[in-house]
């Protein structure tokens, strides 16, 4: 399936109106836009009132670009908002999570009262391990209930969590632990992937060996079997957490108390620790979750099929749904060829009403064929969401037709780790949607598409996506690097947030996202920077130079293609061998993680450069995508491209999904 090319988008003219019944009863009515347009700060104040505040704020917004403070003077506790207040309101028996293990080998039902007890015990345990408000806790765990308890326990005691996706390598984990200066790491002995146990703790052991300030590693027994143990440092969850009292007195924190950091790829080799705080973040994740998915907490069964290791998991598995008192399905596994209809079994059995996933997954399911869905009753579904990358109109229509039975609205939600919550999206009961368009800014959000000079483009024009006013869940900075914060997001345009995405306004002024305009690639919805992968490749002793580009891929959106020149002392037949390419792929997996393994690595004696010595990435992308080459007049040696092209056509393709 091709990416949404400008041409395809321009010719996409289908419209889908909200179903009448949904529209009539929707949480968000058209008046929500009017209300926010009249006074956006007052609108956000009304949204903030859905939360429980121990002390109300004095000032809703203090904005001195690029620094925002929301709900200044207000005090609240994030875990109380997510859990305790629902129990106190009499919903203790309500299911917070139906947890289903990888491949459905185990299950647990967790009510709000259960979660309250688990979080209290975990908070007590972290305190016993010496964690205090303000200390950072790194979390490297699979999708199990203990992960959610840990995240909320950190929030409860005011210790910012730093969740690192379990697919990252020990090197990547180490970088994140050191940068955040985390004092405790919470992990598991192992995890189940596609039905098989795989170790997790060894990566933590390797990482922590070089982190002298990590005092404790708290380990959940998930898979069993032998693990290496460092006495004094390592502690078992069942020894430390299980014995704790199941109550914990929560303290209210300032609205601007750091809640978590989440590392994400930027345009340099070093990932950025995106910092989020408490009051504004909770306000916007809860409001967007309520309106974008039309959540009815009494009747809906909501399923966000992301991983907690990414921002989508933070905002739309943990904080948004729990603040709204939702009942969620939490599935540990991911779709894979050996288990193709698991999702539909789960939707039918749990009567899932809202499903939120990424275009890559939709395209994979689409590839497997809609016949797989036919035996299952999916009529419970009423809203479908998409996130993480541009969704091509074909995938959008397939999603609505086969998963949504031709009835359900599809909400294509644009946002980022940095924005914390959904920013551009249809509202399911209001918006007449267009397949492939994220449509309009959420009420209270100001977005635009501008040209090189920062001037808004007219309808029908394309340019850079920007956010022109501060929003409650915006990042408060990059951990430990204020300069980089200002430089990355606020230097391109004056007092305006530069998102790094290209976008287009159609003739109606609706917004279509066109992908990144910087060196960030989007592989299956995962952000990976070209420089990060290049850095990993040149770390290989036999590599002199490397250039990495994101090439369009029918399933993963983009795929990593690397061009590598070997060092002079590497023999030519050695550098052409499969073993060499494999060692390069392993090097990337070691430095970053399997998700960053290039689909294709091309070994070439030279890279095309401009006269000033810059690698011509655009040209390499054209080569990788097999397009006609654009302007090559600035190229130092035009024969290099011919050489690369010839080599490329001779080389074998990679394994596709980069794992
Ligand atoms: C891309 C994920 C098009 C975009 C929540 C953004 C999207 C990056 C969409 C952020 C969408 C996310 N349509 N592109 N609906 N949603 N993106 O930080 O390039 O992992 O800048 O946050 O994903 O990725 P991140």
């Amino acid at each position: 399936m091709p990416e949404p090319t400008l041409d395809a988008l321009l010719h996409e003219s289908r419209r889908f109106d909200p179903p009448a019944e949904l529209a009539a009863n929707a949480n968000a009515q058209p008046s929500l836009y009017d209300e926010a347009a009249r006074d956006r700060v007052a609108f956000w104040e009304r949204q903030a009132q859905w939360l429980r505040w121990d002390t109300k704020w004095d000032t809703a917004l203090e904005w001195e670009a690029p620094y925002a403070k929301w709900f200044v003077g207000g005090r609240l506790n994030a875990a109380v908002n997510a859990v305790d207040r629902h129990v106190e309101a009499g919903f203790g028996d309500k299911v917070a999570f139906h947890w289903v293990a990888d491949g459905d080998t185990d299950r647990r039902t967790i009510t709000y009262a259960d979660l309250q007890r688990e979080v209290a015990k975990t908070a007590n345990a972290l305190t016993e391990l010496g964690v205090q408000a303000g200390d950072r806790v790194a979390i490297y765990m699979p999708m199990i209930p203990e992960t959610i308890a840990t995240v909320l326990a950190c929030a409860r005691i005011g210790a910012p969590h730093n969740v690192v996706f379990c697919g990252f390598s020990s090197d990547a984990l180490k970088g994140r632990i050191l940068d955040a200066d985390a004092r405790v790491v919470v992990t598991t002995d192992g995890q189940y992937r596609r039905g098989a146990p795989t170790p997790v703790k060894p990566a933590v052991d390797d990482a922590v060996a070089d982190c002298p300030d990590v005092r404790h590693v708290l380990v959940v027994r998930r898979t069993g079997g032998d693990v290496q143990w460092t006495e004094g440092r390592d502690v078992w969850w069942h020894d430390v957490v299980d014995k704790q009292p199941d109550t914990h007195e929560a303290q209210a924190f300032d609205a601007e108390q750091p809640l978590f950091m989440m590392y994400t790829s930027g345009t340099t080799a070093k990932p950025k620790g995106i910092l989020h705080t408490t009051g504004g973040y909770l306000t916007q994740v809860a409001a967007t979750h309520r309106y974008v998915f039309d959540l009815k907490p009494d009747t809906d069964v909501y399923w966000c099929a992301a991983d907690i290791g990414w921002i989508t998991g933070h905002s739309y598995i943990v904080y948004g749904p729990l603040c709204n008192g939702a009942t969620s399905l939490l599935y540990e596994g991911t779709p894979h060829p050996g288990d193709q209809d698991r999702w539909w079994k789960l939707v039918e059995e749990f009567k899932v009403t809202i499903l939120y996933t990424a275009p890559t997954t939709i395209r994979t399911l689409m590839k497997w064929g809609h016949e797989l869905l036919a035996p299952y009753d999916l009529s419970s579904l009423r809203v479908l969401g998409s996130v993480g990358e541009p969704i091509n109109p074909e995938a959008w229509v397939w999603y609505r037709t086969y998963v949504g039975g031709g009835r359900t609205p599809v909400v294509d939600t644009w946002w980022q780790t940095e924005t914390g919550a959904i920013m551009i999206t249809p509202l399911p009961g209001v918006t007449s949607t267009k397949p492939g368009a994220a449509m309009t800014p959420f009420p209270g959000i100001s977005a635009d598409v501008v040209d090189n000079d920062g001037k808004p483009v007219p309808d029908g024009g394309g340019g850079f996506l920007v956010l022109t006013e501060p929003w409650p869940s915006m990042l408060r900075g990059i951990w430990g690097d204020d300069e980089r914060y200002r430089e990355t997001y606020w230097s391109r345009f004056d007092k305006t947030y530069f998102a790094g995405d290209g976008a287009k306004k159609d003739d109606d002024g609706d917004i279509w996202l066109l992908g990144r305009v910087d060196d960030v690639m989007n592989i299956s919805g995962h952000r990976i920077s070209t420089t990060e992968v290049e850095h990993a490749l040149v770390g290989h002793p036999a590599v002199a130079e490397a250039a990495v580009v994101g090439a369009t891929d029918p399933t993963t959106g983009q795929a990593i293609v690397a061009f590598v020149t070997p060092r002079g002392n590497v023999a030519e037949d050695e550098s052409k061998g499969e073993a060499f390419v494999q060692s390069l792929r392993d090097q990337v997996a070691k430095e970053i993680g399997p998700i960053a393994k290039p689909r294709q690595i091309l070994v070439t004696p030279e890279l095309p450069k401009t006269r000033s010595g810059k690698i011509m990435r655009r040209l390499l992308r054209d080569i990788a995508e097999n397009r006609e080459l654009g302007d090559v007049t600035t190229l130092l040696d035009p024969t290099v491209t011919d050489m690369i092209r010839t080599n490329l056509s001779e080389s074998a393709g990679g394994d596709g999904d980069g794992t």
Side-chain angles (χ1 to χ4, degrees), residues 339 341-350 376 378:
D339 196 18
D341 57 355
R342 173 75 54 203
W343 272 33
W344 316 121
K345 279 188 190 146
L346 291 173
V347 169
E348 178 181 85
E349 182 188 345
F350 288 95
Y376 300 100
L378 309 180

Side-chain angles (χ1 to χ4, degrees), residues 262-297:
M262 166 105 259
Y263 282 79
T264 188
S265 290
T267 53
T268 68
K270 189 170 178 279
K272 310 173 282 203
I274 303 298
L275 178 67
H276 283 287
T277 59
T278 309
Y281 172 79
L282 291 183
T283 298
Q284 192 173 332
V285 294
T288 48
H289 183 256
R290 192 159 55 239
Y291 296 126
V292 174
F293 301 109
D294 190 41
L295 182 89
K296 305 285 199 285

Side-chain angles (χ1 to χ4, degrees), residues 264 310-312 356 359 386-391 412-419 424 436 438 499-501 513-516 520 522 525-527:
T264 188
W310 306 107
I311 191 70
T312 306
Y356 193 29
S386 172
V387 60
E389 43 172 331
I391 179 162
D412 173 19
T413 63
W414 177 88
W415 58 294
Q416 309 178 296
T417 305
E418 292 87 340
T419 69
I424 304 178
D501 278 289
L513 276 307
L514 302 175
R516 302 288 304 193
V520 174
N522 194 324
H526 300 154
R527 270 167 76 169

Side-chain angles (χ1 to χ4, degrees), residues 179-199:
D179 191 80
D181 192 15
R183 297 310 162 92
V184 165
V185 182
V186 188
T187 190
T188 58
D189 55 351
Q191 65 171 330
Y192 291 95
R193 300 298 293 164
R194 303 184 172 192
T198 57

